[in-house]
Amino acid sequence: MIDFQPTDGLIVVDIQRDFCPGGTLAVPQGDEIIDVVNRIIKKAEEAGSVIVYTRDWHPENHLSFKAYGGIWPPHCVQWTPGAEFHPQLYLSEKGIILDKGTHPEFEAYSGFQGTGLHQIFKDRGVNRVFVVGLATDYCVKETAVDALRYRYETFVVADAVKGVNVNPDDSQKALQHIKDMGGKVILSQELLP
Ligand code: VGL
Ligand code: ZN
């Protein structure tokens, strides 16, 4: 068992309507992780850990959109329903919401990119980071890799993430890459009673 501590950070990555079935960039079965994610959030909340929710939060002319030279359909456009958190996601009152990818000319897959997250964690004495959410092969991966670069002890909860899988094994490769960089891939049962 791993017990959450006040010096743990939990990053809930991009659990938004557009990344779930029915959305414009739906992760297959993306909504199926929400129950386990909610239980993890409640555990972290009880322990007084630092809970962060990232949001992909793009202007309508974002460079990642096909019409502007990118590879993705429009998704998570600021203030549209698709950018909202999934309605089933538990939002802790103590949670911190961080928006990323807000500038038309810059991509930001990682929750640390342009959000001040490293400073927030430093101020709160965070030394371990747990990552859950969407999508394993993009924003979860880059968030975990950045956490490792900043030298946090980094955990990805394998059954609390889900990938886009443009190629079928992209999520597996992402988790392997995180392990190769020194990250730990765990199961929710190690966190939950
Ligand atoms: C994401 C593709 C484009 C993600 C964001 O949250 O993983 N993927 N923008
Ligand atoms: Zn995006």
Side-chain angles (χ1 to χ4, degrees):
M1 270 298 280
I2 299 171
D3 266 318
F4 277 122
Q5 307 292 327
T7 50
D8 288 334
L10 173 65
I11 311 178
V12 181
V13 177
D14 297 5
I15 303 192
Q16 293 164 273
R17 289 180 184 271
D18 270 345
F19 292 127
C20 292
T24 62
L25 183 40
V27 175
Q29 296 150 10
D31 54 341
E32 290 179 13
I33 64 167
I34 297 176
D35 278 343
V36 71
V37 166
N38 285 347
R39 285 191 281 134
I40 293 168
I41 295 169
K42 283 171 192 167
K43 259 257 154 172
E45 184 178 51
E46 283 167 24
S49 305
V50 182
I51 300 167
V52 171
Y53 299 88
T54 68
R55 275 195 305 203
D56 216 32
W57 196 251
H58 299 315
E60 60 185 9
N61 60 344
H62 191 249
L63 86 170
S64 76
F65 299 169
K66 281 175 187 149
Y68 299 89
I71 61 171
W72 303 117
H75 62 276
C76 299
V77 174
Q78 296 166 2
W79 310 114
T80 65
E84 290 169 7
F85 288 120
H86 191 283
Q88 264 170 261
L89 178 66
Y90 173 67
L91 292 175
S92 167
E93 275 180 25
K94 300 215 176 86
I96 301 162
I97 296 173
L98 297 177
D99 297 336
K100 60 187 176 58
T102 59
H103 189 286
E105 302 294 335
F106 297 100
E107 180 57 294
Y109 286 144
S110 162
F112 287 90
Q113 223 174 329
T115 60
L117 178 52
H118 181 47
Q119 188 62 50
I120 292 168
F121 279 166
K122 273 206 289 192
D123 291 345
R124 303 271 298 260
V126 167
N127 49 33
R128 296 196 301 188
V129 168
F130 295 81
V131 186
V132 300
L134 305 172
T136 314
D137 32 2
Y138 294 93
C139 290
V140 166
K141 176 187 171 194
E142 293 306 324
T143 299
V145 164
D146 263 354
L148 288 161
R149 283 197 192 109
Y150 285 120
R151 309 208 157 271
Y152 297 100
E153 188 179 357
T154 302
F155 301 79
V156 175
V157 187
D159 55 326
V161 296
K162 208 64 121 185
V164 181
N165 289 328
V166 173
N167 306 298
D169 55 351
D170 282 352
S171 292
Q172 257 334 104
K173 280 187 178 159
L175 294 178
Q176 187 57 51
H177 181 68
I178 291 162
K179 283 192 213 172
D180 292 343
M181 291 201 58
K184 298 179 179 76
V185 176
I186 62 169
L187 292 173
S188 61
Q189 64 192 27
E190 295 177 63
L191 295 169
L192 298 171

